[in-house]
Amino acid sequence: MHLDLTDRVVLVTGAARGIGAVLADRFVTEGCRVVALDLAFPDAPTTGVDQVRCDVTDPASVRAAVDGVVARHGTVDVLVNNAGINVEGTVAELGWDAWRRCMDVNVGGTFLVAQAVAPVMQAAGRGRILNAASFAAIVPSVGSAAYAASKSAVVAFTRVLASELGPWGITVNAYAPGMVPTAMNGFAEMPSAAQDRLLDTLSIRRWESADDVADLLVFLASDAAGYVTGTLVDVSGGKLATQIPAKAYER
Ligand code: NAD
């Protein structure tokens, strides 16, 4: 299979830590020119990957970052809209500000960066846009109204953009990680009984790694995935593939 990504220009948002940092490193390993965007980066770059401070909810910040990437690298071949936040709380508890912040980052940020990058890809006549959804967009949890709604919106946005950019040969897909222990969720720090309860929802009974996500994204970014667009790809280890996946481990 042809997965050669050598010299592709890859933009990864939310890449200062967690899944995004691993994705940025993976695309470097694949021979790409990677630019990592994050609110948390200092103004000056500190590592090998190009790091650009950018708030994906701020149109001017996004515009400046994308213009800078194009000035430096000439184009953007792959955009990974990874930046996201988790806002927890029941509908009764959620404040309006928390709801709006969740929508601003997860949906608004995805929209703003895709909107800024799309004309660059249209001019090049090719491109890949990969949007971080979540398993929460497939089966949401109690207390995840804002987060699940935002990720479902990302899926709908992905499908519309896929159709709008199809004429330029640009594909747009969303992906749904399940449970990657990161600072966002603290899965790895939970008491072991709570961890077991979560792991029991999986067909592949182990925590997901960011590399599991990276493996999928390398494929989706490649020429081999040219006919895959407008989809939500579940990369959750078969979470709730059946009602009680743990039964298979009791045999
Ligand atoms: P994380 O909290 O570890 O990292 C998120 C990164 O996004 C941080 O570096 C943060 O600074 C950055 N960010 C937040 N707001 C930003 C903004 N306004 N502008 C620019 N950068 C911003 O999260 P993670 O667990 O690595 O998750 C990454 C993505 O994957 C998110 O979209 C998340 O919803 C999604 N996801 C994660 C999991 C999981 O199990 N970890 C599961 C499903 C989906």
Side-chain angles (χ1 to χ4, degrees):
M1 204 187 319
H2 183 63
L3 297 179
D4 185 9
L5 295 177
T6 307
D7 223 29
R8 299 283 163 92
V9 179
V10 181
L11 201 59
V12 184
T13 70
R17 69 175 198 190
I19 298 171
V22 173
L23 295 178
D25 285 347
R26 171 62 76 83
F27 281 111
V28 168
T29 304
E30 297 294 330
C32 303
R33 289 178 277 159
V34 177
V35 181
L37 308 187
D38 205 296
L39 189 63
F41 282 141
D43 285 328
T46 52
T47 72
V49 175
D50 268 9
Q51 297 181 346
V52 177
R53 187 186 172 114
C54 172
D55 179 350
V56 298
T57 67
D58 175 357
S61 176
V62 169
R63 168 58 53 205
V66 172
D67 285 352
V69 174
V70 173
R72 176 153 184 185
H73 295 287
T75 193
V76 178
D77 296 302
V78 180
L79 163 63
V80 184
N81 270 315
N82 163 82
I85 59 169
N86 184 23
V87 169
E88 285 184 32
T90 62
V91 173
E93 293 160 355
L94 271 174
W96 180 231
D97 285 349
W99 173 274
R100 288 218 313 203
R101 182 76 192 140
C102 192
M103 293 298 162
D104 276 357
V105 178
N106 297 357
V107 193
T110 299
F111 160 73
L112 283 175
V113 185
Q115 189 187 51
V117 165
V120 180
M121 292 182 171
Q122 285 170 297
R126 71 174 193 188
R128 298 275 186 265
I129 298 178
L130 305 170
N131 296 327
S134 169
F135 188 77
I138 302 172
V139 182
S141 311
V142 169
S144 75
Y147 183 74
S150 75
K151 293 301 188 176
S152 293
V154 166
V155 176
F157 172 76
T158 297
R159 295 173 62 179
V160 175
L161 191 62
S163 291
E164 291 182 355
L165 297 181
W168 286 268
I170 299 162
T171 66
V172 187
N173 290 289
Y175 55 96
M179 298 185 294
V180 183
T182 65
M184 175 184 273
N185 50 49
F187 289 142
E189 289 77 47
M190 286 178 173
S192 67
Q195 292 197 25
D196 281 341
R197 206 168 59 206
L198 289 172
L199 290 168
D200 280 347
T201 63
L202 299 173
S203 295
I204 305 298
R205 199 186 183 286
R206 62 165 172 79
W207 293 119
E208 183 169 359
S209 72
D211 278 312
D212 293 319
V213 181
D215 288 339
L216 171 67
L217 295 203
V218 166
F219 167 68
L220 289 176
S222 75
D223 292 348
Y227 206 61
V228 181
T229 198
T231 61
L232 170 64
V233 183
D234 179 336
V235 56
S236 72
K239 190 170 164 76
L240 300 182
T242 57
Q243 294 186 25
I244 310 175
K247 265 191 176 173
Y249 287 86
E250 290 161 8
R251 288 166 182 270

